Amino acid sequence: MRIKRVLQGTALTALAAAAWMGAGSDASAAVNPTGGVTFDGTSLKITAEANDLEIMTSVASVSTKGVKISSWDVYEGHTATVDLSKLNVTKDNYIAVKTDDADAFLVKISAATKKTKATVDKETAKITKLEVTEGADGSKIQVRTALGSYGDADAFGNFDFSNYQYQGASLYVRIPATKKETITAEATDLGSAVRGDETKYKVYEVGTLPGKEAKISIAKQANGPKVSIDYLKGTVSIPKKAKYRVVKEGDAALVASDDAIATGDNKATPSVDELLGSAAKGVLEVRTAANPGKKCASKWTRVELIAPAVLAADTDTVAFPASAGITTKGTIVASGTSIGADVSFTDAGKKGAHKYTEVVITNTKGTSIEVQVGDEKAKILRENATLKVKKDKANGKDVKVRIAGDKANKVVAGVWAKAGTITFPADAEAPAN
């Protein structure tokens, strides 16, 4: 009975078999390991002839003194899969194999790298450097997660772990196993370490087990920065050293992370109207910028934006008073539509003399509005509230109006509309006595 000769008939197999059998040996006891030994990188399978009843294997101890086999593991039948999980992958391992009528031979699994160290760029989550034992092949690695299994081997620079930055992860890398395309015997036979035993063992190399795994840590992204909205001013406060972008209704494509607007060393305070442009609504996304080589960008902070209300466009303005017939009271209008603010003038004259000293603007809209006359400080007017401005600061000045911001109800201040120009009525002289 013999181990199956899968490669029987090839010149290489014939030469190896002839060399091992030697002159005068029993041909029926010859074993051809090149046909009956299969190594897939993690397990070793032995296949004998179909009429073999048992296969014996042993993890042999090999030293300068020779080969020592303490005991045999007996597999019933003509196939055996040898458990390699307990082997030390960083040293040469020898598995002795025999059948009842064939001499034992050794399968050598060569030492894998003793050192595997991966350096990860904390910003990009890519391996930038891989250190292995001198002379070991470190061109490719395999990777697994804490709960996963090792996948296909590839060059370490081709792995991108940025997808693990959201939650952070512990990953494990190793140098993959190597397998000999053709199993051949080493040039030197190994003798027995037992005194008086003249046995010589042929040694067949099959490759290496995977190298020792190394742990790498992918840092979790920090939470996004705080972004505040000033509802009264209609602006957004974006912290310094951040990047921001807006996802707007109707966008055909997302602005790439690298193309997001950077605030630099100063915070930014863009208006909601500026951020949305012509869009009715959108989402502002803000995150702390990456620190090259040291820290990845934070998660995005997302803030929903709704376009501010528009009362009127600057081109749709009507001067106040609207006609010469209106002298003491009128309504600010735009495009023929009332903005909701009545304008009147305070008359301080007596006995028929009209001395107009200030303008009074009253909110009649029912919704809070904000009014600004010229360069004077704007004032929010609740329903029926008034704004009074002295004549010397109001006459000939433009009036701007917008829907007032409301922090409690998260209403952003509307867009300023130039609603008209204050024109005081001419003062009348008092009648002569």
Side-chain angles (χ1 to χ4, degrees):
M1 295 182 286
R2 298 182 298 274
I3 298 288
K4 286 185 177 177
R5 296 186 180 92
V6 173
L7 299 182
Q8 192 173 31
T10 66
L12 179 61
T13 303
L15 289 173
W20 193 31
M21 285 189 293
S25 62
D26 182 1
S28 66
V31 178
N32 182 4
T34 61
V37 176
T38 305
F39 177 66
D40 65 3
T42 57
S43 65
L44 184 68
K45 185 175 181 180
I46 310 298
T47 303
E49 293 290 351
N51 57 352
D52 273 308
L53 301 180
E54 293 179 327
I55 294 174
M56 280 68 72
T57 69
S58 177
V59 178
S61 175
V62 177
S63 65
T64 55
K65 297 179 179 179
V67 179
K68 183 177 181 181
I69 300 174
S70 299
S71 62
W72 293 94
D73 296 326
V74 179
Y75 296 84
E76 297 178 355
H78 64 279
T79 62
T81 300
V82 183
D83 179 19
L84 307 177
S85 62
K86 298 296 184 180
L87 299 183
N88 183 346
V89 300
T90 64
K91 72 173 188 177
D92 293 339
N93 290 281
Y94 295 83
I95 308 298
V97 179
K98 71 182 295 293
T99 57
D100 280 329
D101 60 352
D103 294 333
F105 61 92
L106 299 178
V107 175
K108 179 182 177 182
I109 304 174
S110 300
T113 177
K114 295 181 174 64
K115 176 183 181 181
T116 304
K117 182 180 179 181
T119 301
V120 179
D121 185 298
K122 294 182 179 180
E123 176 196 0
T124 63
K126 287 188 174 183
I127 297 176
T128 56
K129 183 179 180 182
L130 184 70
E131 299 174 63
V132 296
T133 305
E134 185 176 355
D137 181 5
S139 60
K140 291 186 177 182
I141 61 169
Q142 291 175 292
V143 180
R144 73 172 177 89
T145 63
L147 299 177
S149 56
Y150 281 105
D152 295 336
D154 200 354
F156 70 80
N158 292 338
F159 286 94
D160 183 352
F161 305 123
S162 57
N163 194 49
Y164 293 103
Q165 291 178 315
Y166 296 111
Q167 301 298 326
S170 292
L171 302 176
Y172 299 86
V173 301
R174 71 181 186 186
I175 302 300
T178 62
K179 295 175 285 184
K180 292 279 188 180
E181 293 296 328
T182 302
I183 300 175
T184 56
E186 287 188 337
T188 305
D189 295 344
L190 294 180
S192 173
V194 180
R195 183 178 297 177
D197 185 355
E198 299 299 326
T199 303
K200 294 290 185 180
Y201 298 91
K202 280 285 185 183
V203 180
Y204 293 83
E205 291 190 72
V206 294
T208 66
L209 290 167
K212 292 189 70 173
E213 63 182 16
K215 181 179 178 180
I216 59 175
S217 296
I218 307 300
K220 179 182 178 180
Q221 279 182 304
N223 290 330
K226 180 180 179 181
V227 178
S228 58
I229 298 179
D230 189 325
Y231 291 96
L232 301 183
K233 293 181 179 180
T235 59
V236 181
S237 181
I238 301 173
K240 63 182 181 180
K241 295 182 180 179
K243 280 191 169 184
Y244 66 95
R245 64 186 181 186
V246 180
V247 183
K248 290 182 282 190
E249 188 179 49
D251 279 348
L254 183 68
V255 175
S257 299
D258 292 340
D259 295 331
I261 299 171
T263 59
D265 292 331
N266 299 303
K267 72 176 183 179
T269 55
S271 68
V272 174
D273 186 49
E274 176 187 344
L275 291 170
L276 285 177
S278 61
K281 61 182 179 180
V283 176
L284 171 67
E285 296 184 334
V286 183
R287 71 180 185 184
T288 304
N291 188 347
K294 296 180 180 180
K295 190 176 183 180
C296 66
S298 73
K299 295 180 180 179
W300 291 105
T301 294
R302 304 182 83 249
V303 180
E304 291 187 6
L305 302 177
I306 297 177
V310 178
L311 289 177
D314 285 353
T315 55
D316 298 331
T317 62
V318 179
F320 179 86
S323 69
I326 299 176
T327 56
T328 59
K329 188 174 181 180
T331 300
I332 297 177
V333 297
S335 297
T337 302
S338 171
I339 285 180
D342 285 346
V343 176
S344 61
F345 301 96
T346 300
D347 184 358
K350 296 180 179 180
K351 296 181 180 180
H354 298 289
K355 302 245 182 231
Y356 301 107
T357 59
E358 63 184 0
V359 65
V360 180
I361 302 175
T362 305
N363 176 18
T364 59
K365 189 172 181 60
T367 300
S368 296
I369 63 173
E370 192 171 1
V371 181
Q372 183 179 25
V373 177
D375 296 329
E376 296 300 297
K377 184 177 179 180
K379 182 179 180 181
I380 293 176
L381 302 182
R382 308 300 176 191
E383 186 177 6
N384 296 321
T386 60
L387 169 65
K388 297 179 180 181
V389 184
K390 296 297 183 181
K391 180 178 181 179
D392 60 342
K393 295 181 178 180
N395 195 26
K397 301 296 177 66
D398 292 335
V399 179
K400 292 194 299 183
V401 182
R402 69 177 179 179
I403 296 295
D406 185 342
K407 183 177 180 181
N409 294 311
K410 296 185 177 180
V411 175
V412 177
V415 178
W416 283 111
K418 179 182 174 183
T421 302
I422 297 294
T423 303
F424 271 73
D427 292 343
E429 294 183 3
N433 292 329

